[in-house]
Coordinates of all heavy atoms in Angstrom, one line a residue:
L1 N -7.3 3.7 -21.0 CA -5.9 3.7 -20.5 C -5.5 5.0 -19.9 O -4.6 5.0 -19.1 CB -5.0 3.3 -21.7 CG -5.1 1.9 -22.3 CD1 -4.2 1.7 -23.4 CD2 -4.8 0.9 -21.2
S2 N -6.1 6.1 -20.3 CA -5.6 7.3 -19.8 C -6.5 7.9 -18.7 O -6.5 9.0 -18.3 CB -5.6 8.4 -20.9 OG -6.9 8.6 -21.4
A3 N -7.3 7.0 -18.1 CA -8.2 7.4 -17.0 C -7.4 7.9 -15.8 O -6.3 7.3 -15.5 CB -9.1 6.2 -16.6
H4 N -7.8 8.9 -15.2 CA -7.1 9.5 -14.0 C -7.3 8.5 -12.8 O -8.4 8.1 -12.5 CB -7.7 10.9 -13.6 CG -7.1 11.4 -12.4 ND1 -5.8 11.8 -12.2 CD2 -7.7 11.5 -11.2 CE1 -5.7 12.2 -11.0 NE2 -6.8 12.0 -10.3
K5 N -6.2 8.2 -12.2 CA -6.2 7.4 -11.0 C -5.6 8.3 -9.9 O -4.5 8.8 -10.0 CB -5.3 6.1 -11.1 CG -6.0 5.2 -12.1 CD -5.2 3.9 -12.1 CE -5.9 2.9 -13.0 NZ -5.2 1.6 -13.1
P6 N -6.3 8.5 -8.8 CA -5.8 9.4 -7.7 C -4.5 8.8 -7.1 O -4.4 7.6 -7.0 CB -6.9 9.5 -6.7 CG -7.8 8.3 -7.0 CD -7.6 7.9 -8.5
D7 N -3.6 9.6 -6.7 CA -2.4 9.2 -5.9 C -2.9 8.8 -4.5 O -3.3 9.7 -3.8 CB -1.4 10.4 -5.9 CG -0.2 10.0 -5.1 OD1 0.0 8.9 -4.7 OD2 0.7 10.9 -5.0
L8 N -2.8 7.6 -4.2 CA -3.3 7.1 -2.9 C -2.6 7.7 -1.7 O -3.1 7.8 -0.6 CB -3.3 5.6 -2.8 CG -4.2 4.9 -3.7 CD1 -4.0 3.4 -3.5 CD2 -5.6 5.2 -3.5
L9 N -1.3 8.1 -1.9 CA -0.6 8.6 -0.7 C -0.3 10.1 -0.8 O 0.2 10.7 0.1 CB 0.7 7.8 -0.6 CG 0.6 6.3 -0.4 CD1 2.0 5.7 -0.3 CD2 -0.2 6.1 0.9
G10 N -0.7 10.7 -1.9 CA -0.4 12.2 -2.0 C -1.6 13.0 -1.6 O -2.7 12.4 -1.3
P11 N -1.5 14.3 -1.5 CA -2.6 15.1 -1.2 C -3.7 15.2 -2.3 O -3.3 14.9 -3.4 CB -2.0 16.5 -1.0 CG -0.7 16.4 -1.8 CD -0.3 15.0 -1.8
P12 N -4.9 15.5 -2.0 CA -5.9 15.5 -3.0 C -5.6 16.6 -4.0 O -5.1 17.7 -3.6 CB -7.2 15.9 -2.2 CG -6.8 16.2 -0.9 CD -5.4 15.8 -0.6
S13 N -5.8 16.4 -5.3 CA -5.3 17.3 -6.3 C -6.4 18.2 -6.9 O -6.1 19.1 -7.6 CB -4.7 16.5 -7.5 OG -5.7 15.6 -8.0
S14 N -7.7 17.9 -6.6 CA -8.8 18.7 -7.2 C -9.9 18.9 -6.1 O -9.9 18.1 -5.2 CB -9.3 18.1 -8.4 OG -10.0 16.9 -8.1
A15 N -10.7 19.9 -6.4 CA -11.8 20.1 -5.5 C -12.8 18.9 -5.4 O -13.2 18.5 -4.3 CB -12.6 21.3 -5.9
A16 N -13.0 18.3 -6.6 CA -13.8 17.1 -6.6 C -13.2 15.9 -5.8 O -13.9 15.2 -5.1 CB -14.1 16.6 -8.1
E17 N -11.9 15.8 -5.9 CA -11.2 14.7 -5.2 C -11.3 15.0 -3.7 O -11.4 14.1 -2.9 CB -9.8 14.5 -5.7 CG -9.1 13.3 -5.2 CD -7.8 13.0 -5.9 OE1 -7.7 13.3 -7.1 OE2 -6.9 12.5 -5.2
K18 N -11.1 16.3 -3.3 CA -11.2 16.6 -1.9 C -12.6 16.3 -1.3 O -12.7 15.7 -0.2 CB -10.9 18.1 -1.7 CG -9.4 18.5 -1.9 CD -9.2 19.9 -1.7 CE -7.8 20.3 -2.1 NZ -7.6 21.8 -2.0
K19 N -13.6 16.6 -2.1 CA -15.0 16.3 -1.7 C -15.2 14.8 -1.5 O -15.7 14.3 -0.6 CB -16.0 16.8 -2.6 CG -16.2 18.3 -2.5 CD -17.2 18.8 -3.5 CE -17.4 20.3 -3.4 NZ -18.4 20.8 -4.4
R20 N -14.7 14.0 -2.6 CA -14.8 12.6 -2.5 C -14.1 12.0 -1.3 O -14.6 11.1 -0.6 CB -14.2 11.9 -3.8 CG -14.3 10.4 -3.9 CD -13.5 9.8 -5.0 NE -12.1 10.1 -4.8 CZ -11.3 9.4 -4.0 NH1 -11.8 8.5 -3.2 NH2 -10.0 9.7 -3.9
M21 N -12.9 12.5 -1.0 CA -12.1 12.0 0.1 C -12.8 12.4 1.4 O -12.8 11.6 2.4 CB -10.7 12.5 0.0 CG -9.9 11.9 -1.1 SD -8.2 12.5 -1.2 CE -7.5 11.8 0.2
A22 N -13.4 13.6 1.5 CA -14.1 14.0 2.7 C -15.3 13.1 2.9 O -15.5 12.7 4.1 CB -14.5 15.4 2.6
R23 N -16.0 12.7 1.9 CA -17.1 11.8 2.0 C -16.7 10.4 2.4 O -17.3 9.8 3.3 CB -17.9 11.7 0.7 CG -18.8 12.9 0.4 CD -19.8 12.6 -0.8 NE -19.1 12.2 -2.0 CZ -18.7 13.0 -2.9 NH1 -18.8 14.3 -2.8 NH2 -18.1 12.5 -4.0
A24 N -15.6 10.0 1.9 CA -15.0 8.7 2.2 C -14.5 8.7 3.7 O -14.7 7.7 4.4 CB -13.9 8.3 1.3
A25 N -13.9 9.7 4.1 CA -13.5 9.8 5.5 C -14.7 9.8 6.4 O -14.6 9.1 7.5 CB -12.6 11.1 5.7
A26 N -15.7 10.5 6.1 CA -16.9 10.6 6.9 C -17.6 9.2 7.0 O -18.0 8.7 8.0 CB -17.9 11.6 6.4
A27 N -17.6 8.5 5.8 CA -18.2 7.1 5.8 C -17.3 6.2 6.6 O -17.9 5.3 7.4 CB -18.3 6.7 4.4
A28 N -16.0 6.3 6.5 CA -15.1 5.4 7.3 C -15.3 5.7 8.8 O -15.3 4.8 9.6 CB -13.7 5.6 6.9
A29 N -15.4 7.0 9.2 CA -15.6 7.3 10.6 C -16.9 6.7 11.1 O -17.0 6.2 12.2 CB -15.5 8.8 10.8
A30 N -18.0 6.9 10.3 CA -19.3 6.3 10.7 C -19.2 4.8 10.8 O -19.8 4.3 11.8 CB -20.3 6.7 9.6
A31 N -18.6 4.2 9.9 CA -18.4 2.7 10.0 C -17.6 2.3 11.2 O -18.0 1.3 11.9 CB -17.8 2.2 8.7
S32 N -16.6 3.0 11.5 CA -15.8 2.7 12.7 C -16.6 2.9 14.0 O -16.6 2.1 14.9 CB -14.6 3.7 12.8 OG -13.8 3.4 13.9
R33 N -17.4 4.0 14.0 CA -18.3 4.2 15.2 C -19.3 3.1 15.3 O -19.7 2.6 16.3 CB -18.9 5.6 15.1 CG -18.0 6.7 15.4 CD -18.8 8.0 15.6 NE -19.5 8.4 14.4 CZ -19.0 9.1 13.3 NH1 -17.7 9.5 13.4 NH2 -19.7 9.4 12.3
A34 N -19.9 2.7 14.1 CA -21.0 1.7 14.1 C -20.4 0.3 14.5 O -21.2 -0.5 15.1 CB -21.6 1.6 12.7
S35 N -19.2 0.1 14.3 CA -18.6 -1.2 14.6 C -18.4 -1.4 16.1 O -18.3 -2.5 16.6 CB -17.2 -1.4 13.9 OG -16.2 -0.6 14.5
G36 N -18.4 -0.3 16.8 CA -18.2 -0.3 18.3 C -16.8 -0.5 18.7 O -16.5 -0.6 19.9
V37 N -15.9 -0.6 17.7 CA -14.5 -0.7 18.1 C -13.8 0.7 18.1 O -13.8 1.4 17.1 CB -13.7 -1.6 17.0 CG1 -12.3 -1.7 17.3 CG2 -14.4 -2.9 16.9
P38 N -13.4 1.1 19.3 CA -12.8 2.4 19.4 C -11.5 2.5 18.6 O -10.7 1.6 18.6 CB -12.5 2.6 20.9 CG -12.4 1.2 21.4 CD -13.3 0.3 20.6
S39 N -11.3 3.6 18.0 CA -10.0 3.8 17.2 C -9.1 4.7 18.0 O -9.5 5.7 18.6 CB -10.4 4.6 15.9 OG -9.2 4.9 15.2
S40 N -7.8 4.2 18.1 CA -6.8 5.0 18.8 C -6.2 6.1 18.0 O -5.4 6.9 18.5 CB -5.7 4.0 19.3 OG -5.1 3.4 18.2
Q41 N -6.5 6.1 16.7 CA -6.0 7.1 15.8 C -7.1 8.0 15.3 O -8.2 7.5 15.0 CB -5.3 6.4 14.6 CG -4.2 5.5 15.0 CD -3.0 6.3 15.6 OE1 -2.7 7.4 15.1 NE2 -2.4 5.7 16.6
P42 N -6.8 9.3 15.1 CA -7.9 10.1 14.5 C -8.1 9.9 13.1 O -7.2 9.4 12.3 CB -7.2 11.5 14.7 CG -5.8 11.3 14.8 CD -5.6 9.9 15.4
E43 N -9.3 10.1 12.6 CA -9.7 9.9 11.2 C -9.1 11.2 10.5 O -9.3 12.3 11.0 CB -11.2 9.8 11.0 CG -11.8 8.6 11.7 CD -11.5 7.3 10.9 OE1 -11.3 7.4 9.7 OE2 -11.5 6.3 11.5
T44 N -8.5 11.0 9.3 CA -8.0 12.1 8.5 C -8.6 11.9 7.1 O -9.2 10.8 6.8 CB -6.5 12.1 8.5 OG1 -6.0 11.0 7.7 CG2 -5.9 12.1 9.9
I45 N -8.3 12.8 6.2 CA -8.7 12.6 4.8 C -7.9 11.5 4.2 O -8.3 11.0 3.1 CB -8.5 13.9 4.0 CG1 -7.0 14.3 3.9 CG2 -9.4 15.0 4.5 CD1 -6.8 15.5 2.9
Y46 N -6.8 11.1 4.7 CA -6.0 10.0 4.2 C -6.4 8.6 4.6 O -6.1 7.6 4.0 CB -4.5 10.2 4.5 CG -4.0 11.5 4.0 CD1 -3.7 12.5 4.9 CD2 -3.7 11.7 2.7 CE1 -3.3 13.8 4.4 CE2 -3.3 12.9 2.2 CZ -3.0 13.9 3.0 OH -2.6 15.1 2.6
T47 N -7.2 8.5 5.7 CA -7.6 7.3 6.3 C -8.3 6.3 5.3 O -7.9 5.2 5.3 CB -8.5 7.5 7.6 OG1 -7.7 8.3 8.5 CG2 -8.9 6.2 8.2
P48 N -9.3 6.8 4.6 CA -9.9 5.9 3.7 C -9.0 5.3 2.6 O -9.0 4.1 2.3 CB -11.0 6.7 3.0 CG -11.3 7.8 3.9 CD -9.9 8.1 4.6
N49 N -8.1 6.1 2.1 CA -7.2 5.6 1.1 C -6.1 4.7 1.7 O -5.8 3.7 1.1 CB -6.5 6.8 0.3 CG -7.4 7.4 -0.6 OD1 -8.3 6.8 -1.1 ND2 -7.1 8.7 -0.9
L50 N -5.7 5.0 2.9 CA -4.7 4.1 3.5 C -5.4 2.8 3.9 O -4.7 1.7 3.8 CB -4.1 4.8 4.8 CG -3.2 6.0 4.5 CD1 -2.8 6.7 5.8 CD2 -2.0 5.5 3.7
T51 N -6.6 2.8 4.3 CA -7.4 1.6 4.6 C -7.5 0.7 3.4 O -7.3 -0.5 3.4 CB -8.8 1.9 5.2 OG1 -8.6 2.7 6.4 CG2 -9.5 0.7 5.5
L52 N -7.9 1.4 2.2 CA -7.9 0.6 1.0 C -6.6 0.0 0.6 O -6.5 -1.1 0.2 CB -8.4 1.5 -0.2 CG -9.9 1.9 -0.1 CD1 -10.2 3.0 -1.2 CD2 -10.8 0.7 -0.2
L53 N -5.6 0.8 0.7 CA -4.2 0.3 0.4 C -3.8 -0.8 1.3 O -3.3 -1.9 0.8 CB -3.2 1.5 0.6 CG -1.8 1.2 0.2 CD1 -1.6 0.8 -1.3 CD2 -0.9 2.4 0.5
A54 N -4.1 -0.7 2.6 CA -3.7 -1.8 3.5 C -4.5 -3.1 3.2 O -4.0 -4.2 3.2 CB -4.0 -1.4 4.9
R55 N -5.8 -2.9 2.9 CA -6.6 -4.1 2.5 C -6.1 -4.8 1.2 O -6.1 -6.0 1.1 CB -8.1 -3.7 2.4 CG -8.7 -3.4 3.7 CD -10.2 -3.1 3.6 NE -10.7 -2.9 4.9 CZ -11.8 -2.2 5.2 NH1 -12.4 -1.6 4.2 NH2 -12.2 -2.1 6.4
S56 N -5.7 -4.0 0.3 CA -5.2 -4.5 -1.0 C -3.9 -5.3 -0.7 O -3.6 -6.3 -1.3 CB -5.0 -3.5 -2.1 OG -3.9 -2.6 -1.8
V57 N -3.0 -4.8 0.2 CA -1.8 -5.5 0.5 C -2.1 -6.8 1.2 O -1.5 -7.9 0.9 CB -0.9 -4.6 1.4 CG1 0.3 -5.4 2.0 CG2 -0.4 -3.4 0.6
V58 N -3.1 -6.8 2.1 CA -3.5 -8.1 2.8 C -4.0 -9.1 1.8 O -3.7 -10.2 1.8 CB -4.5 -7.8 3.9 CG1 -5.1 -9.1 4.5 CG2 -3.8 -7.0 5.0
Q59 N -4.9 -8.6 0.9 CA -5.4 -9.5 -0.2 C -4.4 -10.1 -1.0 O -4.4 -11.3 -1.3 CB -6.5 -8.8 -1.0 CG -7.8 -8.5 -0.3 CD -8.7 -7.6 -1.2 OE1 -8.3 -7.0 -2.1 NE2 -9.9 -7.5 -0.7
Q60 N -3.4 -9.2 -1.4 CA -2.3 -9.8 -2.2 C -1.5 -10.7 -1.4 O -1.0 -11.8 -1.9 CB -1.4 -8.6 -2.8 CG -0.3 -9.1 -3.6 CD 0.6 -8.1 -4.2 OE1 0.6 -7.0 -3.6 NE2 1.3 -8.4 -5.2
H61 N -1.2 -10.4 -0.2 CA -0.4 -11.3 0.7 C -1.1 -12.7 0.8 O -0.5 -13.7 0.8 CB -0.2 -10.7 2.0 CG 0.9 -11.4 2.8 ND1 0.6 -12.5 3.6 CD2 2.2 -11.3 2.9 CE1 1.7 -12.9 4.2 NE2 2.7 -12.2 3.8
N62 N -2.4 -12.7 0.9 CA -3.2 -13.9 1.1 C -3.0 -14.7 -0.2 O -3.0 -16.0 -0.2 CB -4.6 -13.7 1.4 CG -4.8 -13.2 2.8 OD1 -4.0 -13.3 3.7 ND2 -6.0 -12.5 3.1
A63 N -3.0 -14.1 -1.4 CA -2.9 -14.7 -2.7 C -1.5 -15.2 -3.0 O -1.3 -16.3 -3.5 CB -3.4 -13.8 -3.8
D64 N -0.5 -14.3 -2.7 CA 0.9 -14.6 -3.0 C 1.8 -13.9 -2.0 O 2.3 -12.8 -2.3 CB 1.2 -14.2 -4.5 CG 2.6 -14.6 -4.9 OD1 3.4 -15.1 -4.1 OD2 2.9 -14.4 -6.1
P65 N 2.1 -14.6 -0.9 CA 2.9 -13.9 0.1 C 4.3 -13.4 -0.3 O 4.7 -12.3 0.0 CB 3.0 -15.0 1.2 CG 1.9 -15.9 1.0 CD 1.7 -15.9 -0.5
N66 N 4.9 -14.2 -1.1 CA 6.3 -13.9 -1.6 C 6.2 -12.6 -2.4 O 7.0 -11.7 -2.2 CB 6.9 -15.0 -2.4 CG 8.3 -14.7 -2.9 OD1 9.2 -14.7 -2.0 ND2 8.5 -14.5 -4.2
A67 N 5.3 -12.5 -3.4 CA 5.2 -11.3 -4.2 C 4.8 -10.1 -3.4 O 5.4 -9.0 -3.6 CB 4.2 -11.5 -5.3
A68 N 3.9 -10.2 -2.5 CA 3.5 -9.1 -1.6 C 4.7 -8.6 -0.8 O 4.9 -7.4 -0.7 CB 2.4 -9.5 -0.7
Q69 N 5.4 -9.5 -0.2 CA 6.6 -9.1 0.6 C 7.7 -8.5 -0.2 O 8.3 -7.5 0.2 CB 7.1 -10.3 1.4 CG 6.1 -10.8 2.5 CD 6.5 -12.1 3.1 OE1 7.6 -12.6 3.0 NE2 5.5 -12.7 3.8
I70 N 7.9 -9.0 -1.4 CA 8.9 -8.4 -2.3 C 8.5 -7.0 -2.7 O 9.3 -6.1 -2.7 CB 9.2 -9.3 -3.5 CG1 10.1 -10.5 -3.0 CG2 9.9 -8.5 -4.6 CD1 10.4 -11.5 -4.1
R71 N 7.3 -6.8 -3.0 CA 6.8 -5.5 -3.4 C 6.9 -4.5 -2.2 O 7.3 -3.3 -2.4 CB 5.4 -5.5 -3.9 CG 5.3 -6.2 -5.3 CD 4.0 -6.1 -5.9 NE 4.0 -6.6 -7.3 CZ 3.6 -7.8 -7.6 NH1 3.0 -8.6 -6.7 NH2 3.7 -8.2 -8.9
L72 N 6.6 -4.9 -1.0 CA 6.8 -4.1 0.2 C 8.3 -3.8 0.4 O 8.7 -2.6 0.7 CB 6.2 -4.7 1.4 CG 4.7 -4.7 1.4 CD1 4.1 -5.5 2.6 CD2 4.1 -3.3 1.5
L73 N 9.2 -4.7 0.2 CA 10.6 -4.5 0.4 C 11.1 -3.5 -0.7 O 11.9 -2.6 -0.4 CB 11.4 -5.8 0.2 CG 11.4 -6.7 1.4 CD1 12.0 -8.1 1.0 CD2 12.1 -6.1 2.6
N74 N 10.6 -3.6 -1.9 CA 11.0 -2.7 -3.0 C 10.5 -1.3 -2.6 O 11.2 -0.3 -2.8 CB 10.4 -3.1 -4.3 CG 11.1 -4.4 -4.8 OD1 12.2 -4.7 -4.5 ND2 10.5 -5.1 -5.7
L75 N 9.3 -1.2 -2.1 CA 8.7 0.1 -1.7 C 9.6 0.8 -0.6 O 10.0 2.0 -0.7 CB 7.3 0.0 -1.2 CG 6.7 1.3 -0.7 CD1 6.5 2.3 -1.8 CD2 5.3 1.0 -0.1
I76 N 9.9 0.0 0.4 CA 10.8 0.5 1.5 C 12.1 0.9 0.9 O 12.7 2.0 1.3 CB 10.9 -0.6 2.6 CG1 9.6 -0.8 3.3 CG2 12.0 -0.1 3.6 CD1 9.5 -2.0 4.2
F77 N 12.7 0.1 0.1 CA 14.0 0.4 -0.5 C 14.0 1.7 -1.3 O 14.9 2.6 -1.1 CB 14.5 -0.7 -1.4 CG 15.8 -0.5 -2.1 CD1 17.0 -0.6 -1.3 CD2 15.9 -0.3 -3.4 CE1 18.2 -0.4 -2.0 CE2 17.1 -0.1 -4.1 CZ 18.3 -0.2 -3.3
R78 N 13.0 1.9 -2.1 CA 12.9 3.1 -2.9 C 12.6 4.3 -2.0 O 13.0 5.5 -2.3 CB 11.8 3.0 -3.9 CG 12.2 2.1 -5.1 CD 11.2 2.2 -6.3 NE 9.8 2.0 -5.9 CZ 9.2 0.9 -5.9 NH1 9.9 -0.2 -6.3 NH2 8.0 0.8 -5.6
S79 N 11.9 4.1 -0.9 CA 11.5 5.3 0.0 C 12.7 5.8 0.8 O 12.7 6.9 1.3 CB 10.4 4.8 1.0 OG 10.9 4.0 2.0
V80 N 13.8 5.0 0.8 CA 15.0 5.5 1.5 C 16.1 5.9 0.5 O 17.3 6.0 0.8 CB 15.5 4.5 2.5 CG1 14.6 4.4 3.7 CG2 15.9 3.2 1.9
G81 N 15.7 6.1 -0.8 CA 16.7 6.5 -1.8 C 17.1 5.5 -2.8 O 17.9 5.8 -3.7
G82 N 16.6 4.3 -2.7 CA 17.0 3.2 -3.7 C 16.4 3.5 -5.0 O 15.4 4.3 -5.1
T83 N 16.9 2.9 -6.0 CA 16.4 3.0 -7.4 C 15.5 1.9 -7.8 O 15.7 0.8 -7.2 CB 17.5 3.2 -8.4 OG1 18.3 1.9 -8.5 CG2 18.5 4.3 -8.0
S84 N 14.7 2.1 -8.8 CA 13.9 1.0 -9.2 C 14.6 -0.1 -10.0 O 14.2 -1.2 -10.2 CB 12.7 1.5 -10.1 OG 13.2 2.2 -11.2
T85 N 15.9 0.3 -10.4 CA 16.7 -0.7 -11.2 C 17.3 -1.8 -10.3 O 17.7 -2.8 -10.8 CB 17.8 0.0 -11.9 OG1 18.6 0.7 -11.0 CG2 17.3 1.0 -13.0
A86 N 17.3 -1.5 -9.0 CA 17.9 -2.5 -8.0 C 16.8 -3.3 -7.3 O 17.0 -4.0 -6.4 CB 18.7 -1.8 -7.0
C87 N 15.5 -3.2 -7.8 CA 14.4 -3.9 -7.1 C 14.4 -5.4 -7.4 O 14.9 -5.8 -8.4 CB 13.1 -3.3 -7.6 SG 12.8 -1.6 -6.9
L88 N 13.9 -6.1 -6.4 CA 13.7 -7.6 -6.6 C 12.5 -7.8 -7.5 O 11.5 -7.1 -7.4 CB 13.6 -8.3 -5.3 CG 14.7 -8.2 -4.3 CD1 14.3 -8.8 -2.9 CD2 15.9 -8.9 -4.8
D89 N 12.6 -8.9 -8.3 CA 11.4 -9.3 -9.1 C 10.8 -10.5 -8.5 O 11.4 -11.5 -8.3 CB 12.0 -9.7 -10.5 CG 10.8 -10.0 -11.5 OD1 9.7 -10.2 -11.0 OD2 11.1 -10.2 -12.7
P90 N 9.5 -10.3 -8.1 CA 8.8 -11.4 -7.5 C 8.7 -12.7 -8.3 O 8.6 -13.8 -7.7 CB 7.3 -10.9 -7.3 CG 7.4 -9.5 -7.5 CD 8.6 -9.2 -8.3
D91 N 8.8 -12.6 -9.6 CA 8.8 -13.8 -10.5 C 10.2 -14.5 -10.5 O 10.3 -15.7 -10.8 CB 8.4 -13.4 -11.9 CG 7.0 -12.9 -12.0 OD1 6.2 -13.4 -11.2 OD2 6.7 -12.0 -12.8
E92 N 11.2 -13.8 -10.1 CA 12.6 -14.4 -10.1 C 13.2 -14.7 -8.8 O 14.2 -15.4 -8.7 CB 13.5 -13.4 -10.9 CG 13.2 -13.2 -12.3 CD 14.2 -12.2 -13.0 OE1 15.2 -11.9 -12.4 OE2 13.8 -11.7 -14.1
H93 N 12.6 -14.2 -7.7 CA 13.1 -14.4 -6.4 C 12.1 -14.9 -5.4 O 10.9 -14.6 -5.5 CB 13.6 -13.0 -5.8 CG 14.7 -12.4 -6.5 ND1 14.5 -11.5 -7.6 CD2 16.0 -12.6 -6.4 CE1 15.6 -11.1 -8.1 NE2 16.6 -11.8 -7.4
N94 N 12.6 -15.9 -4.6 CA 11.7 -16.4 -3.5 C 12.4 -16.1 -2.2 O 13.5 -16.6 -2.0 CB 11.5 -17.9 -3.7 CG 10.6 -18.5 -2.7 OD1 10.5 -18.0 -1.6 ND2 9.9 -19.5 -3.1
L95 N 11.8 -15.3 -1.4 CA 12.5 -14.8 -0.2 C 12.8 -16.0 0.8 O 13.9 -16.0 1.4 CB 11.6 -13.8 0.6 CG 11.3 -12.5 -0.2 CD1 10.4 -11.7 0.7 CD2 12.6 -11.8 -0.5
E96 N 12.0 -17.0 0.8 CA 12.3 -18.2 1.6 C 13.5 -19.0 1.2 O 14.2 -19.6 2.0 CB 11.1 -19.1 1.6 CG 9.8 -18.5 2.3 CD 10.0 -18.3 3.8 OE1 10.7 -19.1 4.5 OE2 9.5 -17.3 4.3
E97 N 13.9 -18.9 -0.1 CA 15.0 -19.6 -0.6 C 16.3 -18.8 -0.7 O 17.4 -19.3 -1.0 CB 14.7 -20.2 -2.0 CG 13.5 -21.2 -1.9 CD 13.1 -21.6 -3.3 OE1 13.6 -21.1 -4.3 OE2 12.1 -22.4 -3.4
M98 N 16.2 -17.5 -0.4 CA 17.4 -16.6 -0.5 C 18.3 -16.9 0.7 O 17.9 -17.0 1.8 CB 17.0 -15.2 -0.6 CG 16.3 -14.8 -1.8 SD 15.7 -13.1 -1.9 CE 17.2 -12.2 -1.9
N99 N 19.6 -16.9 0.5 CA 20.6 -17.0 1.5 C 21.2 -15.7 1.8 O 20.9 -14.7 1.2 CB 21.7 -18.1 1.2 CG 22.4 -17.7 -0.1 OD1 22.7 -16.5 -0.3 ND2 22.9 -18.7 -0.8
D100 N 22.1 -15.6 2.8 CA 22.7 -14.3 3.2 C 23.4 -13.6 2.0 O 23.4 -12.4 1.9 CB 23.7 -14.5 4.3 CG 23.0 -14.9 5.6 OD1 21.8 -14.7 5.8 OD2 23.7 -15.4 6.6
E101 N 24.1 -14.4 1.2 CA 24.8 -13.8 0.0 C 23.8 -13.2 -1.0 O 24.1 -12.1 -1.5 CB 25.6 -14.9 -0.7 CG 26.5 -14.3 -1.7 CD 27.4 -15.4 -2.3 OE1 28.1 -16.1 -1.5 OE2 27.4 -15.5 -3.5
D102 N 22.6 -13.8 -1.1 CA 21.6 -13.3 -2.1 C 21.1 -11.9 -1.5 O 20.9 -11.0 -2.3 CB 20.4 -14.2 -2.2 CG 20.8 -15.5 -2.9 OD1 21.8 -15.5 -3.7 OD2 20.2 -16.5 -2.7
W103 N 21.0 -11.8 -0.2 CA 20.4 -10.6 0.4 C 21.5 -9.5 0.2 O 21.2 -8.4 -0.1 CB 20.1 -10.7 1.8 CG 18.8 -11.4 2.0 CD1 18.6 -12.7 2.3 CD2 17.5 -10.8 1.9 NE1 17.2 -12.9 2.4 CE2 16.6 -11.8 2.2 CE3 17.1 -9.5 1.7 CZ2 15.2 -11.5 2.2 CZ3 15.7 -9.2 1.7 CH2 14.8 -10.2 2.0

């Protein structure tokens, strides 16, 4: 339960994590080059983690679109100063059924 989980959006916190992220960035760059699809964005140390995060959002959206969209709305709300006490609960709200007053 107390295993360290890296902050996916924060800077690397240790030398080992920096090395791991550098290896992951190099692997992602190599995979991108191997795919033959040109990237319009430069590879950074954050690219592998952001790619993993984006893939997990897509997987969750495929499994439960309502929950994924509510979690993204909550993240956006908190990122602009909202509190976690005002977040929507995916088990209690269905975005398709909400009317203007609910919003």
Side-chain angles (χ1 to χ4, degrees):
L1 292 176
S2 63
H4 171 70
K5 292 186 178 182
D7 179 3
L8 291 178
L9 299 178
S13 60
S14 69
E17 191 171 325
K18 287 178 186 178
K19 286 181 183 178
R20 182 193 60 77
M21 290 178 72
R23 284 192 305 270
S32 178
R33 285 190 301 274
S35 72
V37 177
S39 174
S40 62
Q41 299 296 319
E43 295 287 332
T44 70
I45 62 169
Y46 301 106
T47 302
N49 286 336
L50 291 173
T51 301
L52 290 173
L53 183 61
R55 286 184 179 153
S56 70
V57 169
V58 169
Q59 287 173 346
Q60 181 180 21
H61 192 271
N62 289 341
D64 186 353
N66 185 67
Q69 291 170 16
I70 285 178
R71 288 189 175 104
L72 287 172
L73 283 171
N74 289 339
L75 175 64
I76 292 168
F77 179 70
R78 286 191 309 270
S79 73
V80 295
T83 66
S84 60
T85 58
C87 290
L88 297 173
D89 182 350
D91 295 328
E92 295 179 15
H93 297 90
N94 184 328
L95 296 179
E96 293 294 326
E97 296 173 358
M98 291 174 67
N99 61 32
D100 289 342
E101 188 175 309
D102 293 332
W103 280 97

